Amino acid sequence: MNETRMLIGGQLVDAEGGASFDNVNPATEEVIGPVADGTRADMARAVGAAREAFDTTGWARDHEARKSGLLQLQAAIEAEQEELRAELIAEAGAPLLLTYGPQLDAPLREALTWPAEMIDAFPWRRALPVKNAFGTGDAEREVWKEPIGVVAVIVPWNFPMEILLNKLGPVLAMGNTCVVKPAPDTPHTAARLGRLVAEHTDIPPGVVNIVTAQDHEVGEVLSTSPAVDMVAFTGSTATGRRIMAAAAATVKPVFLELGGKSANIVLDDADLEATLAGAAGCCMHGGQGCAISTRLLVPRSRYEDAVELARASFENWAYGDPTDPSVLQGPQISARQRDRVLGYIDQGRAEGARVVVGGGRPDHLPRGYYVEPTLFADVDNTMTIAREEIFGPVLCIIGYEDDDDAVRIANDSSYGLSGTITSGDVERAKDVARKIRTGTLGLNGAIWYGPDAPFGGYKGSGIGRQCGIEGLEIFTETKTVGWPAAPTT
Ligand code: NAD
């Protein structure tokens, strides 16, 4: 059974007035079921509950309660892991195979447990020398790290559990309380999490609140409320800008994980055949991943070979029903997103790029919001399809002259989230990596992902880092305290 209620102040509740909206399966276009349609008043009540829990309970200082709360939640999720998997596939269109990895099982292994382990290891206090840098003063001095307070956690629909767990773990480990706002396209998995918190953990009422809502604007309460101390957001750059502007009125910090247009650079000494055998991998989950490399940069001298190798990869790529264990690409999340992707494909054609494979809706999948895996050649980095985040199964192949040119093209983007480099010489790949302005890079197929690995973007891809020590620190405030040094004898 899907959970339909929200979690506010420790209670599982319906929306004010009992309103609900339908959650739709993007692979079948069928209604999965209703879920509470929270209002601004519900959101304000959730903020009040989080504020009260932060200000009046010992949660912020009680390391043991936080550790056990996180581990209880982990165990509760694991007990319903298969139901959660089915729910995730149904509401996000996430391919089953991906739920065994980054969509569910991978974050579930560590996203809560690693922050729980780090509660004791975290440097909560740091002593400064009694004499300051000028050699004067005689105060004992310490820097204290403290929770930041009430954190708004606003998440998107593409990796709904992965992103939520990777925020919730650090937020709670660092002693904060929170209000979670899931995306309207993926409310049931978040609502289930709310029930698990309420029914299977000793996390105090109000520490975690989850408000589902169809209307994005309900989330604005979180950016504008003076009772919220920080907004932690993952989503589009356009929404990130709005949140940052709204948060400015109350001078609250914002932590933004935004879009990407990452480059996959294949250097001229790479094994082109082996590397491009996986070219269609960028269509994983319908290309609905912020860190996917969607610009393939290949040496101009080998351009046509690269196009043919990528073509073979795209033509062999399995996509369709996300419950089919052989596919890695399901539908786009909604008709709106599908049409947006198709609009970009039309624009690519209109601007002179060549469609090598795909380019439309698949005839054999009349139901569901599917888009064909689409490969574009003859792409110039100034074209719209090379500059804007399409969030669809679309790859652009761009030629470059030499390593410097590849670096220039990779950096010629308003984004800087991720990327990949392949070379016959890993030291050469590292040299290129040093010049790329981006938050994460995988060299020669290596995977950097993990709860201990900071993830986030340069430039328009965001502010701050999720995961790793940086992803714990971001949810803390810093207090410097001095007191008279004990007299020396
Ligand atoms: P979105 O920006 O439309 O929505 C994200 C969340 O913000 C949703 O919960 C939405 O309801 C909420 N929201 C929308 N307007 C709001 C407002 N004014 N105030 C408060 N909340 C508001 O993004 P999306 O379409 O759900 O997700 C896709 C985007 O997310 C892509 O751009 C993708 O690159 C990005 N993304 C980034 C990362 C990352 O870590 N950098 C990870 C995944 C997705």
Side-chain angles (χ1 to χ4, degrees):
M1 281 296 284
N2 306 116
E3 179 55 60
T4 62
R5 297 164 296 174
M6 307 184 292
L7 176 62
I8 300 180
Q11 303 293 315
L12 294 168
V13 294
D14 293 327
E16 177 198 50
S20 66
F21 67 99
D22 285 335
N23 189 12
V24 173
N25 181 326
T28 62
E29 304 183 31
E30 282 163 6
V31 171
I32 299 168
V35 67
D37 193 4
T39 63
R40 283 175 172 262
D42 290 320
M43 192 61 92
R45 276 198 300 130
V47 169
R51 183 79 262 161
E52 192 182 337
F54 186 78
D55 292 341
T56 65
T57 71
W59 177 253
R61 286 167 300 281
D62 191 340
H63 288 203
E64 292 309 315
R66 304 210 300 272
K67 262 187 272 175
S68 78
L70 281 166
L71 297 181
Q72 286 170 336
L73 180 56
Q74 163 88 7
I77 300 173
E78 279 175 358
E80 295 190 9
Q81 192 163 347
E82 295 317 310
E83 292 90 330
L84 187 59
R85 188 187 312 285
E87 203 165 45
L88 189 57
I89 295 168
E91 72 176 10
L96 170 67
L97 215 50
L98 285 185
T99 69
Y100 295 128
Q103 279 283 13
L104 185 61
D105 292 1
L108 196 49
R109 265 195 306 275
E110 293 175 315
L112 301 179
T113 53
W114 188 79
E117 277 168 29
M118 289 303 294
I119 293 175
D120 286 336
F122 187 75
W124 294 101
R125 288 167 52 179
R126 183 173 98 239
L128 297 175
V130 172
K131 297 267 182 232
N132 65 26
F134 304 106
T136 59
D138 55 359
E140 300 275 359
R141 299 178 303 151
E142 278 188 357
V143 179
W144 296 350
K145 288 290 190 184
E146 299 183 342
I148 202 159
V150 175
V151 180
V153 173
I154 306 177
V155 291
W157 44 261
N158 60 332
F159 282 74
M161 271 296 110
E162 191 267 356
I163 295 169
L164 179 48
L165 293 177
N166 273 314
K167 288 206 193 311
L168 206 55
V171 163
L172 298 181
M174 293 295 99
N176 302 284
T177 63
C178 64
V179 179
V180 174
K181 200 209 86 59
D185 296 295
T186 49
H188 278 138
T189 46
R192 175 183 294 271
L193 200 76
R195 178 176 56 72
L196 295 177
V197 169
E199 293 183 348
H200 296 279
T201 78
D202 298 319
I203 294 173
V207 167
V208 177
N209 303 273
I210 298 186
V211 178
T212 49
Q214 186 168 28
D215 180 358
H216 295 300
E217 308 291 311
V218 170
E220 255 170 24
V221 172
L222 297 171
S223 318
T224 53
S225 169
V228 172
D229 296 298
M230 179 188 195
V231 181
F233 168 77
T234 295
S236 63
T237 299
T239 306
R241 269 192 213 104
R242 285 186 65 177
I243 286 175
M244 198 171 172
T250 46
V251 197
K252 61 171 66 76
V254 288
F255 165 27
L256 304 176
E257 299 277 354
L258 308 176
K261 192 75 196 177
S262 301
N264 175 0
I265 305 175
V266 183
L267 295 180
D268 61 11
D269 63 351
D271 178 341
L272 204 61
E273 208 161 317
T275 308
L276 296 189
C282 65
C283 300
M284 182 192 79
H285 192 29
Q288 301 170 119
C290 54
I292 293 176
S293 296
T294 51
R295 291 182 296 153
L296 174 62
L297 273 50
V298 297
R300 191 153 303 282
S301 57
R302 305 188 65 189
Y303 192 82
E304 282 310 321
D305 291 346
V307 170
E308 287 314 308
L309 289 166
R311 176 205 293 276
S313 172
F314 270 67
E315 285 176 347
N316 289 324
W317 178 251
Y319 67 103
D321 178 0
T323 62
D324 175 343
S326 71
V327 309
L328 277 168
Q329 177 189 340
Q332 309 310 118
I333 190 70
S334 61
R336 188 175 147 269
Q337 279 296 119
R338 175 200 59 203
D339 294 345
R340 187 171 166 273
V341 173
L342 293 172
Y344 275 116
I345 293 173
D346 286 346
Q347 196 156 359
R349 280 198 188 93
E351 290 181 20
R354 165 169 52 117
V355 174
V356 180
V357 181
R361 292 173 63 173
D363 292 337
H364 67 289
L365 294 167
R367 282 170 74 84
Y369 310 125
Y370 292 94
V371 174
E372 288 179 310
T374 298
L375 178 66
F376 271 112
D378 302 342
V379 179
D380 180 282
N381 201 48
T382 61
M383 290 179 184
T384 307
I385 54 169
R387 304 210 73 79
E388 297 188 12
E389 184 184 51
I390 298 174
F391 232 51
V394 181
L395 179 66
C396 300
I397 312 189
I398 302 173
Y400 68 81
E401 298 303 331
D402 55 22
D403 287 10
D404 285 347
D405 196 33
V407 169
R408 181 191 63 75
I409 296 169
N411 285 337
D412 179 16
S413 171
S414 60
Y415 294 108
L417 188 58
S418 192
T420 44
I421 303 172
T422 311
S423 168
D425 173 1
V426 77
E427 292 307 318
R428 185 175 167 206
K430 284 188 207 169
D431 277 347
V432 172
R434 285 185 191 95
K435 298 172 191 158
I436 307 289
R437 291 184 48 74
T438 190
T440 55
L441 273 169
L443 311 184
N444 286 356
I447 292 170
W448 44 262
Y449 178 84
D452 54 349
F455 170 63
Y458 285 35
K459 303 190 274 183
S461 290
I463 299 172
R465 293 292 178 272
Q466 179 165 292
C467 298
I469 296 294
E470 291 81 353
L472 297 172
E473 257 181 356
I474 200 153
F475 295 118
T476 62
E477 267 292 8
T478 302
K479 183 180 279 173
T480 304
V481 184
W483 60 94
T488 46
T489 50

